[in-house]
Amino acid sequence: MTTNPATLVLAGTPIGDITDAPPRLARELAEADVIAAEDTRRLRRLTQALGVTPRGRVVSYFEGNESARTPELVEALVGGARVLLVTDAGMPSVSDPGYRLVAAAVERDIRVTAVPGPSAVLTALALSGLPVDRFCFEGFLPRKAGERLSRLRDVAEERRTLVYFEAPHRLDDTLAAMAEVFGAERRAAVCRELTKTYEEVRRGGLGELAEWAAEGVRGEITVVVEGAPERGPEELDAGELVRRVQAREAAGERRKEAIAAVAVEAGIAKRVVFDAVVAAKHNT
């Protein structure tokens, strides 16, 4: 049972419109003993906009110092402090700093709670026009093209709606890779500058969206992609499966990736394609 009165508070902050700040946020900012902020300058602008003067100590807590700063914040918690964690926008820990601190606090049996706030993930999902009953959040894709394709192939058969974050200067490459792996006609929505003055939600097929993004896009980006359609297995014999894998290998794909891609195309388990390839190798 937790006996230490200290508390770690994860506070959601506006993703654009400052008036979206949850009512509790101002009180927590005013009363916290320590405020750990991803960007102390943005925190200052936030407190000024909310008319709040923090009484507690303000420290930076971002990707570059997260590992080193976490023990210091845990010690403050152990000593009975109320520590408030805020990131630049949205909820801490969701593709932002916070996970390490939460895990460390839980390990020390310290209470962790949250001030719920705006979420780019849920906002984009709601606005996308795509199914929202089941979804999964994939965060940022790898920057390198090969790693990005591999990650996308891992979820090519995912039936749930997919949600991604992406940098504007990589959006066209990401959408083109999605069109290649998921299919150019797979429906998607690019949500830009959510809740801000120039908010835009662009909907269409992945191929169409990739062409649009090639012209250049600015702002904070969230991409929502329709899940894989349900389909019966394609009637292909083992020889055809092997030929398709070989064709992909000849085009430069690694065998593992080629097998996964052919399985997706045929609507069958990867093991079936793998077994066909192994049997063909033994028969040559």
Side-chain angles (χ1 to χ4, degrees):
M1 182 177 68
T2 299
T3 57
N4 192 322
T7 302
L8 170 62
V9 183
L10 310 180
T13 56
I15 59 176
D17 191 333
I18 192 64
T19 61
D20 290 337
R24 271 181 55 205
L25 179 59
R27 187 178 79 239
E28 292 288 354
L29 286 167
E31 297 178 357
D33 298 306
V34 180
I35 301 175
E38 186 176 9
D39 186 328
T40 56
R41 294 166 299 180
R42 293 188 68 160
L43 172 66
R44 190 177 304 114
R45 291 197 292 271
L46 176 63
T47 55
Q48 290 173 348
L50 296 177
V52 174
T53 301
R55 70 173 177 83
R57 178 167 59 99
V58 175
V59 299
S60 63
Y61 190 74
F62 57 96
E63 184 179 0
N65 74 353
E66 188 176 1
S67 295
R69 183 78 77 183
T70 293
E72 173 189 330
L73 293 174
V74 170
E75 286 308 306
L77 287 162
V78 170
R82 187 174 185 86
V83 176
L84 180 69
L85 176 61
V86 294
T87 52
D88 291 347
M91 283 297 297
S93 289
V94 182
S95 284
D96 276 329
Y99 166 74
R100 288 186 178 88
L101 182 54
V102 172
V106 169
E107 186 176 346
R108 298 294 291 269
D109 202 24
I110 293 168
R111 180 172 180 260
V112 181
T113 188
V115 179
S119 165
V121 175
L122 296 181
T123 303
L125 185 68
L127 295 177
S128 68
L130 298 171
V132 298
D133 54 333
R134 298 175 66 235
F135 72 94
C136 56
F137 175 57
E138 288 288 309
F140 284 94
L141 286 166
R143 298 182 181 184
K144 294 182 179 180
E147 294 176 4
R148 182 167 55 231
L149 284 171
S150 179
R151 182 78 61 82
L152 290 171
R153 290 188 182 109
D154 285 343
V155 295
E157 300 175 69
E158 176 58 63
R159 298 278 195 264
R160 294 172 294 179
T161 299
L162 302 161
V163 184
Y164 295 89
F165 287 158
E166 190 51 280
H169 61 279
R170 291 196 297 269
L171 180 62
D172 55 342
D173 289 338
T174 291
L175 290 171
M178 288 178 172
E180 177 183 342
V181 175
F182 299 152
E185 301 303 315
R186 178 84 72 88
R187 293 187 301 162
V190 176
C191 303
R192 187 180 72 84
E193 295 290 89
L194 289 171
T195 78
K196 299 178 184 177
T197 302
Y198 298 105
E199 175 182 283
E200 178 182 17
V201 179
R202 191 89 175 194
R203 304 175 183 88
L206 285 167
E208 172 192 344
L209 290 173
E211 292 180 6
W212 163 74
E215 299 176 4
V217 179
R218 295 182 179 182
E220 300 286 335
I221 304 292
T222 304
V223 180
V224 186
V225 184
E226 182 180 33
E230 291 193 29
R231 58 186 179 185
E234 188 177 349
E235 294 296 332
L236 298 175
D237 61 26
E240 178 60 23
L241 294 174
V242 172
R243 283 190 289 274
R244 291 193 180 191
V245 170
Q246 290 173 339
R248 285 182 170 273
E249 286 186 288
E253 287 188 17
R254 293 182 301 175
R255 177 164 294 179
K256 180 180 178 181
E257 295 171 346
I259 288 173
V262 171
V264 171
E265 289 175 356
I268 58 180
K270 287 186 286 188
R271 184 71 193 183
V272 175
V273 184
F274 175 80
D275 288 345
V277 172
V278 172
K281 183 177 179 181
H282 289 164
N283 293 332
T284 57

